[in-house]
Amino acid sequence: MEQRNKTLGEFIIEHQAAFQYSTGELSKLINAIRLAAKVVNHEVNKAGLIDILGAAGDTNIQGEDQQKLDVLANEKFIQTLKNREIVCGIASEEEDDFISINSHDELHQNKYVVLIDPLDGSSNIDVNVSVGTIFSIYRRITPIGTPVTLQDFLQPGVNQVAAGYVVYGTSTMLVYTTGHGVHGFTLNPAIGTFYLSHPNMEFPEKGNIYSINEGNYVHFPQGVKDYIKYCQMEEEDRPYTSRYIGSLVSDFHRNMIKGGIYIYPKSSKASNGKLRLLYECNPMAFLAEQANGRASNGYQRIMEIQPTELHERVPFFCGSRKMVEKAESFMARYPDT
Ligand code: P6P
């Protein structure tokens, strides 16, 4: 049983040996993310006080208005990771192409690539609703000693060596996995230290919360419409409760603690849904499966999908295993929708 109140630093050192082929680099990488999270947390918490609310006046490759905090969070995570010469490449929701980190690594000896959504849910910033950072870590697959390539980023989620998120909510938490369970650390802002507060997090097998933007109901595939009606029926343990924060990290985090399902399906407005496979769905799927939950596109495991593009989108069903399986049974009735 993990001892609560252990610091994140102590936890990483104690579990260092568990990292496969550990040379300490993965520990250094998690520590770099920890530092960047504290810096971004500081900026998020004071966003209302200085002129970093609102739009940055630019759009990202997704065609979404970049919020000033999006840009700042992106810069902080990239800078922190670059400066530690741990990674050979970074891909970000806020960057059109991947970034090859060759500045000080002429020999390209660093072996990890990181994919990040630096500030997910940023449209919520101006209304003071929680937002998050999502990260996904792989070992490069092209030879060490050569410049990183797109192939190093287009790996299926089953290849992840670590994944996690930071949720900037009523408290700031860092939740991550290296394939040995999911562990949550809460920031004590007074001293800037993350403490182990939620060891071995697991989805309840079932729950009674469903999270989906029902405003898109008319555009959903029939299987999703049928599942929503199933959730709302007066029968057995239903109707379920509808909770949708509009911030993936927050909806996921609540569902993991209380039990529930989050769905962002494809629709007639978005043929592959909205969420990005590489730096939103794969890391959340790794966490979900490590927490005895399930994550699919309605038909197959998210982590088995072979990516073809850096910013590709997939439909996303994620949460308590029995709830995701039930939703999939409705999708199976309409296999070609
Ligand atoms: P909608 C935030 O932009 C995000 O990527 C997720 O965090 C969130 O769950 C979803 O999109 C909200 O999208 O279309 O329901 O506003």
Side-chain angles (χ1 to χ4, degrees):
M1 180 68 180
E2 291 290 351
Q3 174 208 349
R4 288 175 186 275
N5 294 331
K6 191 180 297 178
T7 68
L8 175 55
E10 290 166 338
F11 184 89
I12 290 171
I13 291 167
E14 282 179 19
H15 291 71
Q16 169 79 47
F19 298 158
Q20 200 180 19
Y21 322 119
S22 167
T23 58
E25 280 181 300
L26 187 56
S27 302
K28 282 166 66 178
L29 185 40
I30 302 287
N31 272 313
I33 289 171
R34 170 179 63 157
L35 173 62
K38 289 185 202 176
V39 173
V40 171
N41 176 66
H42 180 66
E43 300 299 335
V44 166
N45 285 349
K46 69 181 184 181
L49 299 175
I50 57 176
D51 181 26
I52 54 171
L53 280 177
D58 200 350
T59 57
N60 60 21
I61 189 171
Q62 334 286 343
E64 295 166 345
D65 291 338
Q66 283 185 309
Q67 303 294 313
K68 291 175 184 172
L69 262 178
D70 276 331
V71 174
L72 182 143
N74 186 52
E75 288 166 357
K76 293 297 177 190
F77 273 95
I78 290 173
Q79 174 193 346
T80 306
L81 292 168
K82 262 186 173 178
N83 294 348
R84 276 158 184 74
E85 298 187 28
I86 308 161
V87 301
C88 55
I90 301 173
S92 168
E93 183 198 37
E94 301 302 329
E95 300 288 336
D96 297 1
D97 201 352
F98 66 85
I99 299 167
S100 177
I101 311 290
N102 299 327
S103 49
H104 309 296
D105 173 23
E106 285 70 22
L107 301 178
H108 308 296
Q109 292 307 305
N110 298 333
K111 64 184 175 215
Y112 292 110
V113 295
V114 180
L115 299 97
I116 54 171
D117 182 355
L119 207 62
D120 180 71
S122 54
S123 56
N124 290 317
I125 291 167
D126 291 6
V127 295
N128 204 11
V129 170
S130 56
V131 293
T133 297
I134 308 171
F135 62 90
S136 173
I137 301 170
Y138 293 83
R139 199 170 283 104
R140 68 178 295 176
I141 51 177
T142 54
I144 285 186
T146 63
V148 70
T149 70
L150 180 59
Q151 192 187 358
D152 291 303
F153 295 93
L154 299 184
Q155 299 186 52
V158 289
N159 291 2
Q160 291 174 99
V161 293
Y165 59 80
V166 184
V167 51
Y168 309 99
T170 46
S171 64
T172 294
M173 281 191 69
L174 189 153
V175 178
Y176 81 99
T177 183
T178 57
H180 303 276
V182 175
H183 308 287
F185 299 81
T186 300
L187 179 67
N188 177 342
I191 57 175
T193 302
F194 281 100
Y195 287 93
L196 179 63
S197 53
H198 298 67
N200 302 302
M201 298 182 81
E202 290 197 344
F203 274 96
E205 199 174 40
K206 256 190 72 28
N208 66 357
I209 295 172
Y210 71 104
S211 307
I212 187 170
N213 184 342
E214 295 189 56
N216 296 322
Y217 181 87
V218 293
H219 303 295
F220 287 153
Q222 192 55 48
V224 173
K225 289 178 177 176
D226 290 355
Y227 179 66
I228 291 173
K229 290 306 170 200
Y230 168 84
C231 292
Q232 295 170 342
M233 285 171 68
E234 188 93 44
E235 195 179 72
E236 297 169 344
D237 58 344
R238 285 165 283 131
Y240 294 151
T241 296
S242 175
R243 286 284 184 276
Y244 191 70
I245 299 171
S247 178
L248 166 61
V249 170
S250 303
D251 281 313
F252 179 98
H253 188 79
R254 181 207 52 246
N255 288 349
M256 183 159 60
I257 292 171
K258 296 194 167 196
I261 183 172
Y262 171 96
I263 302 175
Y264 206 104
K266 68 178 182 182
S267 71
S268 52
K269 289 195 306 182
S271 58
N272 285 313
K274 174 181 182 183
L275 302 185
R276 273 61 56 141
L277 172 60
L278 290 183
Y279 39 79
E280 289 174 327
C281 299
N282 267 332
M284 301 312 273
F286 191 14
L287 289 162
E289 293 196 2
Q290 283 290 312
N292 291 330
R294 179 171 170 78
S296 78
N297 62 1
Y299 301 97
Q300 75 171 111
R301 276 176 81 200
I302 286 290
M303 294 211 289
E304 287 175 349
I305 296 173
Q306 175 56 53
T308 55
E309 291 171 18
L310 209 49
H311 299 287
E312 74 181 74
R313 301 171 193 266
V314 289
F316 194 52
F317 296 64
C318 181
S320 294
R321 187 173 54 77
K322 286 194 180 299
M323 297 181 82
V324 176
E325 288 170 350
K326 188 66 179 177
E328 289 168 348
S329 71
F330 283 91
M331 298 303 288
R333 298 177 184 178
Y334 312 90
D336 53 358
T337 58

